[in-house]
């Protein structure tokens, strides 16, 4: 059974298409118009082994906020759709990723209950190219709200803003991969004592 999600989201500010295959090989086709964000979404697909297509046309003449936010919302919705009934998955995943002087720790529960805990070093450089570094938390908030998962992201230290953000996306990719993979010992079993996720 394929685990594919496809979401099209159109507003007066943006037009977004996201397609994700949870059982892919890490092939990506990303174009949001925000170079660093494209790089981060590429990390998500490649390190999660998700086949990921993202096409966003946004109001970049204003700034990148709507483009980044609406893409994250559509990505979360597509991820939730691809998960389907969640029967037979591991449900929980975690990963710690270093990137030179920076370290990110990510833990996820595909719980059906959206909740985000996010910490990263203060006084980070405000911009990476056209990417506002305060948007990282907002991306995670938007993704979590639509994917309906519990997500804890912690960066205990780091100096370089590029490294701090990138290690978060790499760790997120791996944690989502581990949580969403099928557990061969739990085929046909929903990983919840409640009987619902």
């Amino acid at each position: 059974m394929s685990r594919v999600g496809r979401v099209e989201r159109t507003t007066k500010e943006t037009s977004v298409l996201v397609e994700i295959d949870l059982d892919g090989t890490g092939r990506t086709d990303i174009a949001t118009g925000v170079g660093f964000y494209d790089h981060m979404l590429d990390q998500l697909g490649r390190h999660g082994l998700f086949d990921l297509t993202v096409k966003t046309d946004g109001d970049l003449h204003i700034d990148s906020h709507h483009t980044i936010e609406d893409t994250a919302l559509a990505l979360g919705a597509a991820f939730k759709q691809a998960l389907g009934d969640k029967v037979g998955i591991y449900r929980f995943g975690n990963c710690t990723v270093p990137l030179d002087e920076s370290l990110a720790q990510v833990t996820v529960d595909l719980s059906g209950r959206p909740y985000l805990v996010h910490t990263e070093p203060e006084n980070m450089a405000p911009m990476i190219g056209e990417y506002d570094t305060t948007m990282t938390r907002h991306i995670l908030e938007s993704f979590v709200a639509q994917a309906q998962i519990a997500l804890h992201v912690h960066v205990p230290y780091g100096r370089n803003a590029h490294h701090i953000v990138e290690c978060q996306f790499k760790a997120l990719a791996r944690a989502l991969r581990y949580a969403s993979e099928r557990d061969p010992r739990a085929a046909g079993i929903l990983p919840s004592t409640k009987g619902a996720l």
Side-chain angles (χ1 to χ4, degrees), residues 56-149:
T56 304
D57 184 16
D59 55 0
L60 294 176
H61 62 284
I62 295 176
D63 70 6
S64 63
H65 186 106
H66 299 142
T67 296
I68 291 172
E69 175 184 46
D70 289 0
T71 300
L73 290 167
L75 180 61
F79 184 80
K80 180 178 185 292
Q81 185 183 108
L83 279 174
D85 60 13
K86 304 180 188 176
V87 168
I89 64 169
Y90 281 100
R91 175 179 168 178
F92 302 101
N94 67 81
C95 189
T96 299
V97 169
L99 183 53
D100 296 349
E101 84 298 338
S102 300
L103 185 79
Q105 302 164 326
V106 173
T107 304
V108 63
D109 176 8
L110 306 182
S111 61
R113 298 183 306 278
Y115 199 91
L116 174 67
V117 176
H118 179 251
T119 61
E120 63 184 4
E122 295 182 3
N123 302 316
M124 211 179 358
M127 300 294 291
I128 305 170
E130 296 178 350
Y131 178 87
D132 179 346
T133 57
T134 65
M135 288 300 291
T136 303
R137 179 183 178 88
H138 195 44
I139 290 166
L140 298 173
E141 289 170 335
S142 301
F143 179 78
V144 161
Q146 293 299 309
Q148 295 187 334
I149 64 174

Side-chain angles (χ1 to χ4, degrees), residues 2-13:
S2 65
R3 299 191 301 160
V4 175
R6 186 179 193 278
V7 169
E8 292 185 75
R9 186 178 193 277
T10 302
T11 70
K12 292 181 179 179
E13 299 165 340

Side-chain angles (χ1 to χ4, degrees), residues 161-196:
H162 188 128
H163 294 165
I164 290 169
V165 176
E166 184 170 339
C167 66
Q168 291 179 66
F169 275 87
K170 286 179 173 176
L172 174 62
R174 286 290 176 137
L176 289 173
R177 171 182 163 186
Y178 300 150
S180 63
E181 283 183 339
R182 292 186 174 99
D183 182 350
R185 295 180 61 199
I189 299 171
L190 186 71
S192 172
T193 56
K194 298 177 184 295

